[in-house]
Amino acid sequence: MTTLVAIPTAPAAAVLESAAAVRSLAVEEAAAARPVRLRGHLLLVTPQRNAIVLLDRDEGIYVELERPVDRTLQLGDELEVTGVSDAGNFAPIVKSARVVRLGPGTLPSPRPATVAELNAGGFDAAWVELRG
């Protein structure tokens, strides 16, 4: 007679699907390499650091790439980024294993900001407009 024994396993971590979800992680949670899958628009390219900023429907997030930035990417392109969370040096970020260009796109209108808001540091990886 065969007896089956259930061996408890840790539940798989839920995939984080928004920049806000990644950015809201505590340092320890972000450092635990939680799975991430984001869709959004290319806001910034930093080729010297192999990094981009992706703007999803809510906010932006810094994404470190494993490979050099694809020089054919254009600002506003719609991308899908998969990777894992990381604590980052300032705020939680994504370390990317894969970036797929889904097609051309346009950036949404920037969020109006004041100098005081910028000085407060709350617009990391954000698309803002300053007048004056």
Side-chain angles (χ1 to χ4, degrees):
M1 181 168 150
T2 303
T3 303
L4 299 177
V5 177
I7 300 173
T9 59
V15 176
L16 301 169
E17 295 186 326
S18 73
V22 176
R23 292 176 59 87
S24 70
L25 295 172
V27 173
E28 299 79 23
E29 290 177 301
R34 302 258 319 262
V36 176
R37 182 177 56 245
L38 304 174
R39 285 183 76 156
H41 295 276
L42 180 64
L43 178 61
L44 176 73
V45 176
T46 309
Q48 65 273 26
R49 293 191 177 189
N50 292 331
I52 62 172
V53 172
L54 185 77
L55 183 64
D56 74 2
R57 65 188 174 276
D58 297 318
E59 59 187 84
I61 191 151
Y62 187 83
V63 180
E64 285 185 357
L65 307 174
E66 288 183 339
R67 298 183 177 103
V69 174
D70 178 351
R71 300 286 185 158
T72 65
L73 294 177
Q74 300 291 314
L75 295 184
D77 278 354
E78 187 174 356
L79 306 176
E80 181 175 73
V81 172
T82 54
V84 296
S85 63
D86 186 80
N89 294 324
F90 177 74
I93 66 169
V94 175
K95 287 200 171 183
S96 175
R98 185 168 169 241
V99 175
V100 176
R101 182 181 181 270
L102 302 174
T106 57
L107 290 173
S109 298
R111 182 184 320 171
T114 65
V115 172
E117 289 172 321
L118 292 176
N119 286 337
F123 287 122
D124 176 55
W127 180 230
V128 299
E129 177 180 58
L130 184 62
R131 293 186 181 252

